[in-house]
Amino acid sequence: MSKKYTLPTFLDGIASQAAYQRWLEHKARTHVKRDRKRGNAEALGEAYRVAIHAAVIVGGGRDAYTGEALDWSLISRYDNADSALGGRLYKHGFAKLPTVDHVGDGLGPADFKICGWRVNDAKHDLDMPAFLDVCKAVLEHHGYAVRKPGEM
């Protein structure tokens, strides 16, 4: 097995090298396929594996957007049949499943962040400013005062 994508130290005892490698390859393959459909003929598996692995290392096991610890024990555990039976309750159990989020639109070079499934669902295809606007609107609608750091 390739050691190019060595298991990050924060995953010691949580996931095996083989499980991490399988997850990494699956995520890269999925994003390459999606980006090629979007028109990115330059999307290559190796570049995507490198970028995703780098995002995992930079993230240190945490969601890039919320800072929450992700549950890496969930990788490769989602089951479509169980999901069909359990519905929303089943999916809620995977809120902190690490997923790969495009920083851009998928048409440029591979650039990703790692976040939980719940956050990735909420962010969807929004860029960071648009996502923050949605988050701000939700919080303000529920009575919170939201301001940027440094604002009074």
Side-chain angles (χ1 to χ4, degrees), residues 19-74:
Y20 176 71
Q21 185 81 27
R22 192 171 42 253
W23 176 84
L24 180 63
E25 289 173 3
H26 173 75
K27 292 300 174 186
R29 189 172 38 254
T30 300
H31 281 274
V32 165
K33 184 177 177 181
R34 182 180 306 155
D35 290 355
R36 284 186 181 161
K37 278 185 177 180
R38 291 177 175 174
N40 185 350
E42 304 297 316
L44 299 172
E46 177 63 13
Y48 278 49
R49 285 187 296 278
V50 167
I52 293 168
H53 180 65
V56 169
I57 299 301
V58 167
R62 298 190 161 279
D63 186 298
Y65 302 110
T66 67
E68 295 175 304
L70 296 171
D71 187 350
W72 287 87
S73 71
L74 295 173

Side-chain angles (χ1 to χ4, degrees), residues 2-142:
S2 168
K3 285 291 187 177
K4 186 171 191 173
Y5 308 108
T6 304
L7 185 71
T9 56
F10 64 83
L11 292 180
D12 285 342
I14 297 170
S16 68
Q17 175 68 43
Y20 176 71
Q21 185 81 27
R22 192 171 42 253
W23 176 84
L24 180 63
E25 289 173 3
H26 173 75
K27 292 300 174 186
R29 189 172 38 254
T30 300
H31 281 274
V32 165
K33 184 177 177 181
R34 182 180 306 155
D35 290 355
R36 284 186 181 161
K37 278 185 177 180
R38 291 177 175 174
N40 185 350
E42 304 297 316
L44 299 172
E46 177 63 13
Y48 278 49
R49 285 187 296 278
V50 167
I52 293 168
H53 180 65
V56 169
I57 299 301
V58 167
R62 298 190 161 279
D63 186 298
Y65 302 110
T66 67
E68 295 175 304
L70 296 171
D71 187 350
W72 287 87
S73 71
L74 295 173
I75 62 173
S76 303
R77 299 232 171 140
Y78 189 83
D79 183 274
N80 287 328
D82 288 344
S83 179
L85 291 173
R88 292 173 65 174
L89 288 178
Y90 181 81
K91 188 174 178 182
H92 285 290
F94 287 85
K96 293 185 181 182
L97 169 69
T99 62
V100 178
D101 181 53
H102 275 98
V103 171
D105 59 9
L107 298 177
D111 191 8
F112 303 105
K113 290 194 182 288
I114 306 302
C115 62
W117 194 9
R118 172 186 57 207
V119 171
N120 202 349
D121 270 357
K123 183 179 172 289
H124 193 53
D125 286 334
L126 299 174
D127 63 12
M128 195 59 175
F131 180 54
L132 291 174
D133 286 344
V134 169
C135 293
K136 182 178 186 274
V138 169
L139 289 168
E140 288 177 343
H141 179 72
H142 290 276

